[in-house]
């Protein structure tokens, strides 16, 4: 105990071992839903036979990255495959654009390497300052709507599909399913999660998923699991990146989109968590930010090797911070729980029905949508591009398209409104890149 207390500087942070362990357990409870939801999303793109490997990979990636955060950056922040990014991976890149999932993994791997380089150079700060705040908030909110639509689509309440020609088709509200057991249980899970969150109950999403699943099993809406635990395997997804498949102009936009969302999502999350924990300096900087971002980048790279989409820092870490977690010991406990529990629950995870996980997607979407309130809607050159991002992401099923619409419209509006001086020079470059990206998708070259 003495080594841990000295290494993590318990006395300096005003904490103790009991507080840190309880905080780590709390953080795990609030984000353990990812062990069920991430495999469900990614297996839609990789095939159902990948599900068991994806459960183990999710646990491994989360455990490794969170333990690294604890031991290296010494912060109480937990990491796992990111919501929104896993949806972009599955539904936009693989299903929508038609890339093989191995190529998508390669894009995540390359994005992670770029993130590593930028995390140890001054280029990172240049990009941070170039992107306007309104665009950062709008991307997060747009992803929230994207996740919500995916949740409603998964349960069959709203339906959308991509045709053989790559066109997204919406069929609207599925009224014939409203009285089904699955839809009723979905609304039950959504209501339960909402009540638990309102009462500030820790692990609200996990409790909702498990409770709704059990009711579904009892009522016959879903089959009971044959067994709960199994020996973990990652053979289906491990080292499957197709780097050669990235030698395609269109794939550059995929890498760029993965990077942009991961980079700014991480930055915003880390800043918010640091503020909650009291880490921010007087000028608003995050101490050891480079270590935190480097950990995130390494987690993404290792996650791609294991076979999952982008690993990122989780805002759910705030639950552990709320319980008093202030050091890397909190993250260490969370990471060990991911490895100790998550690796062995593939049969249970596979038996969790879509109507039990869909409410979690909707609630996470709600959380992410709240970022839009930070946009200044009295300034039309800020608000209109943000609005375009907000609607383009869910309506096109593509985060990349949303980012592109935002960057191009923001640059043009500022320029032709006589406010070009407010644009960072890098925004011109980013806008041009996306114009070329859209031109490629449209078959111009």
């Amino acid at each position: 105990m003495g080594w841990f207390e000295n290494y993590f500087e318990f006395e300096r942070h005003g904490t103790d071992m009991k507080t840190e362990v309880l905080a780590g357990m709390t953080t795990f409870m609030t984000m353990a839903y990812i062990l069920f939801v991430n495999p469900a999303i990614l297996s839609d793109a990789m095939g159902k036979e990948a599900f068991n490997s994806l459960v183990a990979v999710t646990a491994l990636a989360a455990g490794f990255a969170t333990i690294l955060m604890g031991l290296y950056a010494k912060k109480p922040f937990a990491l796992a495959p990111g919501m929104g990014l896993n949806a972009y991976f599955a539904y936009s890149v693989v299903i929508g654009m038609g890339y093989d999932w191995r190529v998508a993994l390669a894009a995540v791997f390359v994005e992670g390497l770029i993130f590593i380089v930028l995390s140890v150079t001054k280029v990172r700060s240049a990009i941070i300052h170039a992107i306007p705040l309104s665009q950062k908030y709008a991307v997060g909110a747009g992803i929230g709507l994207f996740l919500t639509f995916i949740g409603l689509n998964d349960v069959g309440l709203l339906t959308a599909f991509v045709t053989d020609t790559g066109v997204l088709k919406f069929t609207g509200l599925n009224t014939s399913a409203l009285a089904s057991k699955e839809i009723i249980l979905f609304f039950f899970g959504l209501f339960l999660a909402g009540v638990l969150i309102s009462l500030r109950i820790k692990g609200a999403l996990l409790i909702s998923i498990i409770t709704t699943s059990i009711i579904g099993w009892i009522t016959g809406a879903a089959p009971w699991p044959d067994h709960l635990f199994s020996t973990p395997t990652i053979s289906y997804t491990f080292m499957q990146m197709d780097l050669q498949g990235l030698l395609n102009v269109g794939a550059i936009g995929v890498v760029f989109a993965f990077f942009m969302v991961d980079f700014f999502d991480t930055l915003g999350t880390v800043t918010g968590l640091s503020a909650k924990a009291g880490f921010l300096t007087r000028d608003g900087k995050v101490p050891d930010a480079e270590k935190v971002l480097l950990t995130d980048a390494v987690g993404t790279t290792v996650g791609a090797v294991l076979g999952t989409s982008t690993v990122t820092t989780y805002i759910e870490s705030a639950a552990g911070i709320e319980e008093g977690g202030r050091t890397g010991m909190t993250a260490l406990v969370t990471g060990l729980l991911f490895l100790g529990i998550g690796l062995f629950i593939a049969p249970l995870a596979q038996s969790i029905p879509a109507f039990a996980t869909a409410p979690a997607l909707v609630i996470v979407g709600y959380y992410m949508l709240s970022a839009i309130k930070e946009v200044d809607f009295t300034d039309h050159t800020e608000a209109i591009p943000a609005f375009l991002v907000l609607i383009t992401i869910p309506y096109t099923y593509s985060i990349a398209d949303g980012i592109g619409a935002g960057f191009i419209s923001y640059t043009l509006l500022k320029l032709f409104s006589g406010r070009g001086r407010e644009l960072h020079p890098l925004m011109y470059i980013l806008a041009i890149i996306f114009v070329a990206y859209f031109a490629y998708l449209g078959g111009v070259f």
Side-chain angles (χ1 to χ4, degrees):
M1 291 297 183
W3 183 87
F4 285 110
E5 292 170 352
N6 292 331
Y7 183 77
F8 292 115
E9 301 178 287
F10 282 5
E11 187 175 341
R12 175 191 162 198
H13 291 284
T15 187
D16 54 49
M17 180 61 76
K18 179 181 178 181
T19 299
E20 294 293 305
V21 171
L22 288 176
M25 293 172 66
T26 299
T27 297
F28 175 75
M29 279 291 292
T30 60
M31 58 185 290
Y33 69 89
I34 196 63
L35 292 169
F36 307 114
V37 178
N38 191 57
I41 290 175
L42 293 183
S43 62
D44 283 346
M46 297 182 176
K48 296 303 178 184
E49 60 272 25
F51 192 96
N52 286 358
S53 286
L54 285 168
V55 175
V57 163
T58 300
L60 274 175
F64 166 79
T66 304
I67 290 171
L68 181 63
M69 179 68 78
L71 294 177
Y72 174 61
K74 299 184 182 179
K75 292 289 188 291
F77 306 154
L79 302 90
M83 294 294 293
L85 285 160
N86 52 11
Y88 175 65
F89 180 106
Y91 302 113
S92 289
V93 178
V94 178
I95 297 175
M97 298 181 188
Y99 288 103
D100 186 83
W101 61 268
R102 297 166 186 82
V103 175
L105 279 180
V108 174
F109 179 74
V110 171
E111 176 250 316
L113 293 179
I114 295 172
F115 200 172
I116 289 174
V117 172
L118 295 183
S119 295
V120 296
T121 65
K122 293 184 178 181
V123 176
R124 176 185 59 86
S125 59
I127 296 177
I128 291 170
H129 294 135
I131 310 301
L133 278 173
S134 60
Q135 288 293 290
K136 298 174 188 175
Y137 293 133
V139 169
I143 292 173
L145 288 179
F146 187 36
L147 284 176
T148 299
F149 189 89
I150 289 169
L152 297 175
N153 190 44
D154 281 351
V155 79
L157 190 59
L158 297 178
T159 53
F161 63 95
V162 179
T163 66
D164 294 338
T165 57
V167 178
L168 183 67
K169 294 286 187 181
F170 296 90
T171 58
L173 179 67
N174 186 7
T175 54
S176 62
L178 287 176
S180 66
K181 287 182 181 178
E182 291 80 5
I183 297 299
I184 292 171
L185 285 168
F186 161 76
F187 281 117
F188 167 81
L190 186 62
F191 174 76
L192 177 60
V195 170
L196 293 175
I197 290 168
S198 300
L199 295 174
R200 301 185 182 278
I201 303 296
K202 307 301 181 187
L205 294 182
L206 181 63
I207 294 171
S208 172
I209 289 172
I210 297 299
T211 303
T212 306
S213 296
I214 291 173
I215 295 174
W217 297 332
I218 292 173
T219 58
W224 283 90
D226 294 330
H227 50 290
L228 301 181
F229 305 103
S230 66
T231 303
T233 175
I234 62 171
S235 58
Y236 191 88
T237 60
F238 182 65
M239 287 290 291
Q240 292 297 310
M241 305 96 67
D242 179 10
L243 292 170
Q244 188 173 359
L246 278 182
L247 301 179
N248 180 303
V249 179
I252 296 175
V254 174
V255 174
F256 184 72
F258 273 128
F259 168 75
M260 292 297 293
V261 178
D262 182 26
F263 192 80
F264 294 110
D265 178 65
T266 299
L267 190 71
T269 300
V270 168
T271 302
L273 292 174
S274 297
K276 189 173 185 65
F279 294 153
L280 292 183
T281 61
R282 289 184 178 180
D283 56 355
K285 292 183 179 179
V286 179
D288 297 322
E290 286 74 18
K291 289 185 177 181
V292 175
L293 292 172
L294 183 58
T295 299
D296 195 289
V298 171
T300 290
T301 306
V302 172
V305 173
L306 292 171
T308 187
S309 54
T310 308
V311 173
T312 189
T313 307
Y314 262 58
I315 196 66
E316 282 85 349
S317 304
I321 292 172
E322 186 72 29
E323 291 296 311
R326 291 295 182 273
T327 75
M329 187 68 207
T330 295
L332 181 60
V333 171
T334 303
L336 290 173
L337 286 172
F338 267 113
L339 296 180
I341 297 175
L343 278 174
F344 305 97
I345 62 168
L348 173 62
Q350 196 163 24
S351 298
I352 301 293
F355 59 74
T357 56
L361 291 175
V362 174
I363 293 295
V364 172
Y366 154 75
Y367 280 139
M368 297 183 74
L369 181 63
S370 65
I372 201 67
K373 69 180 184 294
E374 304 295 338
V375 176
D376 181 8
F377 277 86
T378 64
D379 184 343
H380 302 304
T381 64
E382 298 285 337
I384 291 175
F387 172 70
L388 290 175
V389 173
L390 187 66
I391 62 171
T392 301
I393 289 177
Y395 288 163
T396 63
Y397 243 50
S398 172
I399 295 173
D401 290 353
I403 294 174
F407 282 11
I408 294 171
S409 61
Y410 187 91
T411 302
L412 291 176
L413 274 177
K414 288 290 185 182
L415 187 61
F416 288 98
S417 297
R419 297 168 60 179
R421 63 185 181 281
E422 298 177 20
L423 287 167
H424 191 287
L426 191 55
M427 278 300 291
Y428 292 105
I429 298 174
L430 295 175
I432 291 170
I433 289 173
F434 268 109
V435 168
Y437 170 63
F438 286 130
Y440 171 78
L441 292 181
V444 176
F445 59 86

